[in-house]
């Protein structure tokens, strides 16, 4: 049995320390649960005490005590010289047949202890729907003579999305639009259609972790390309496409998640031309593209540079994540193939939600402006609080989107996230989004919460940093910031 990777185990442990009681009991409880769920199959070697303690930012005694508790229960086997393993079971749960996520972003959503007082700075999504959503659902007239199954989407919504692309300078027909259950399903369908096990996929490093999970599930081989101040290193991306001919490239042109970078138009055109020259399907994730603060001029989308570019969008960030409406815009033959694939999985997205989306798109500009004003205010509040309480952290302003890409002065983001969780705030470590294995000192923090909650979150982060900071002078500064 192969040992579980340390980072994978830490991610699967999730918010293990957020409950009440001694840390070693909380850790033992979570390891027991992972074993019961089949996520730690019998015989799985576990990390050594010291290594796991460092990764979890706890004392070695905590891990030793947790392991010993489970050994006494017969759940673990510990032998001198051969390490620690999950004990065999008479009725052992079957090992998962599909890849399960160890992404902290999703694990925080799946965790049933959602009311434990932890402030989630890990999941960047609007909290609560705006009034326009309820208004859009009000008085809907559902088609009386319709089966309700539309794998490609309601024609009226496909036309509305097509018109939106037309206004952005990309002439689009309804046949070029597929309606999906959020952008996550859009990326999932593209992954299933374009990637086979062993195929290469060009990705930004770092990038959206939900996409990385899908590529891993497909057993694709990532070809990560480092992000710079102006977005993707296009020169390196061109070399990767020339050398490896990946089966797909996944990028974000504007307000990239998590860095917030914007790809300059000339670089975007060069990327599209290279993808077309080397026959690489180019997917542009546009979920955040409308959320600019006004400091970045409008620019034509990548799909305006080449007819083969595939765009992914949704209403989840501009409106609300609970409105599960997304789309793919691409060549009509590709959209038709995606519709046949989608029909296998769900026969079509929710019809009332699609009708509500049509109404929202009819008067979308005021709704979008309100969302951007809220985001700008949250951005400024979070940066001000970080500057006041954690001045040693590097926190450059964002030009749009929903998150800040923050650099710790030293240390490791994964280990600090464990300490932060024990102080009641969940953050997303940068390394979980970086297929190159970098971004270890980075954190992604969103600014979508109310102002007072953002202030409280930073106060807790300052307390966590005071505990984590290994340098006396840093610890003193952090402690003083808590009381400000």
């Amino acid at each position: 049995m192969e040992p579980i990777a340390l980072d994978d185990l830490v991610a699967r442990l999730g918010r293990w320390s957020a409950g009440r009681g001694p840390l070693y009991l909380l850790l033992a409880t979570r390891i027991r649960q992972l074993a019961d769920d089949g996520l730690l199959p019998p015989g799985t070697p576990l990390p050594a005490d010291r290594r796991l303690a460092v990764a979890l930012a706890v004392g070695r005694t905590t891990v030793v005590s947790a392991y010993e508790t489970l050994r006494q229960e017969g759940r673990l086997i510990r032998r001198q010289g051969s390490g620690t393993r999950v004990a065999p079971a008479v009725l052992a749960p079957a090992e998962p047949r599909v890849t399960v996520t160890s992404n902290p972003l999703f694990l925080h959503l799946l965790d049933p202890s959602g009311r434990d007082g932890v402030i989630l700075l890990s999941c960047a999504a609007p909290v609560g729907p705006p009034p326009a959503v309820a208004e859009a659902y009000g008085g809907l007239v559902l088609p009386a003579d319709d089966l309700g199954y539309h794998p490609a989407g309601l024609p009226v919504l496909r036309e509305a999305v097509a018109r939106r692309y037309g206004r952005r300078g990309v002439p689009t027909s309804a046949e070029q639009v597929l309606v999906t259950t959020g952008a996550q399903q859009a990326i999932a369908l593209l992954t299933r259609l374009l990637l086979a096990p062993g195929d290469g996929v060009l990705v930004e490093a770092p990038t959206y972790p939900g996409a990385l999970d899908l590529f891993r599930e497909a057993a694709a081989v990532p070809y990560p390309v480092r992000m710079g101040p102006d977005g993707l290193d296009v020169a390196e991306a061109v070399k990767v496409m020339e050398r490896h001919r990946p089966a797909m490239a996944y990028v974000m042109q504007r307000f990239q998640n998590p860095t917030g970078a914007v790809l300059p138009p000339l670089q975007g055109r060069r990327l599209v031309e290279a993808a077309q020259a080397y026959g690489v399907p180019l997917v542009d994730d546009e979920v955040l593209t409308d959320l600019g603060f006004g400091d970045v001029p409008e620019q034509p989308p990548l799909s305006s540079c080449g007819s083969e570019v595939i765009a992914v969008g949704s209403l989840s960030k501009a409106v609300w994540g609970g409105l599960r409406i997304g789309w793919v815009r691409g060549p009509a033959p590709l959209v038709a193939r995606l519709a046949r694939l989608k029909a296998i999985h769900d026969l079509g997205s929710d019809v009332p939600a699609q009708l509500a989306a049509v109404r929202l798109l009819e008067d979308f500009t005021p709704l979008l402006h309100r969302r951007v004003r809220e985001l700008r205010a949250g951005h400024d509040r979070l940066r001000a609080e970080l500057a006041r309480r954690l001045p040693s952290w590097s926190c450059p302003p964002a030009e749009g989107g929903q998150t800040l890409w923050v650099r710790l002065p030293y240390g490791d983001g994964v280990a600090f996230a464990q300490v932060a969780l024990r102080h009641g705030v969940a953050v997303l470590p940068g390394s979980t989004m970086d297929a190159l294995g970098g971004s270890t000192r980075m954190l992604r923090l969103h600014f979508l919460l109310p102002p007072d909650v953002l202030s409280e979150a930073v106060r807790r982060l300052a307390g966590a940093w005071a505990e984590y900071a290994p340098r006396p002078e840093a610890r003193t500064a952090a402690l003083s910031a808590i009381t400000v």
Side-chain angles (χ1 to χ4, degrees), residues 124 204 206-209 252 254-261 288 317 403 428 433 444:
E204 299 161 325
T207 190
Y208 167 54
M252 282 168 268
R254 284 169 60 85
F255 315 125
Q256 194 261 359
N257 180 5
T259 67
L288 298 172
K317 305 304 182 186
T403 59
L428 200 59
M433 297 171 273
R444 194 196 76 172

Side-chain angles (χ1 to χ4, degrees), residues 72-104:
Q72 292 177 7
E73 295 176 1
R75 309 302 295 267
L76 296 183
I77 297 173
R78 285 167 64 78
R79 291 195 179 96
Q80 189 73 26
S82 59
T84 303
R85 292 175 177 269
V86 179
V90 176
L91 296 174
E95 188 168 355
R97 296 175 58 190
V98 298
T99 302
V100 294
T101 183
S102 58
N103 181 342

Side-chain angles (χ1 to χ4, degrees), residues 127-341:
V127 179
V133 173
E135 295 167 3
Y137 273 92
L140 283 180
V141 178
L142 301 180
D145 56 350
D146 190 294
L147 287 175
Y149 299 128
H150 297 273
L154 284 178
V156 65
L157 179 55
R158 298 175 75 188
E159 292 166 1
V161 174
R163 287 194 298 272
R164 182 165 175 76
Y165 275 98
R167 290 192 292 270
R168 297 174 63 200
V170 187
T172 301
S173 66
E175 290 71 26
Q176 292 178 270
V177 175
L178 173 82
V179 177
T180 60
T181 306
Q184 186 72 15
Q185 187 189 54
I187 303 170
L189 291 172
L190 287 166
T191 299
R192 286 182 177 270
L193 184 67
L194 299 176
L195 295 179
D199 281 347
V201 53
L202 186 152
V203 296
E204 299 161 325
T207 190
Y208 167 54
L212 290 179
D213 270 1
L214 291 170
F215 303 151
R216 292 189 188 104
E217 183 187 37
V221 178
Y223 292 119
V225 177
R226 176 62 61 194
M227 293 289 294
D230 293 324
L232 180 71
D233 184 339
V234 172
E236 181 61 26
V238 172
K239 292 178 183 177
V240 168
M241 286 191 279
E242 180 182 17
R243 185 180 309 121
H244 299 287
R245 299 295 204 279
M248 186 173 87
Y250 171 77
V251 301
M252 282 168 268
Q253 179 194 27
R254 284 169 60 85
F255 315 125
Q256 194 261 359
N257 180 5
T259 67
V262 176
L263 189 66
L266 290 179
Q267 292 292 86
R269 180 171 293 278
R270 183 185 178 194
L271 180 67
V272 172
E273 291 172 350
Q276 292 179 333
Y278 297 118
V280 178
L282 179 62
V283 177
D284 180 19
D285 187 337
E286 297 184 320
V287 169
L288 298 172
T289 196
D290 291 322
L291 303 182
F293 296 157
D295 303 324
V296 180
E298 291 294 326
Q299 61 190 96
L302 292 184
S303 49
S304 70
C305 302
S307 60
E308 297 301 308
V309 174
I310 304 163
V312 169
S314 88
L315 295 179
S316 65
K317 305 304 182 186
V319 183
W320 182 46
L323 185 66
R324 305 303 302 146
I325 295 295
W327 56 80
V328 175
R329 186 270 177 200
L334 173 82
V335 168
R337 292 167 64 197
L338 287 171
R340 291 194 291 272
L341 181 59

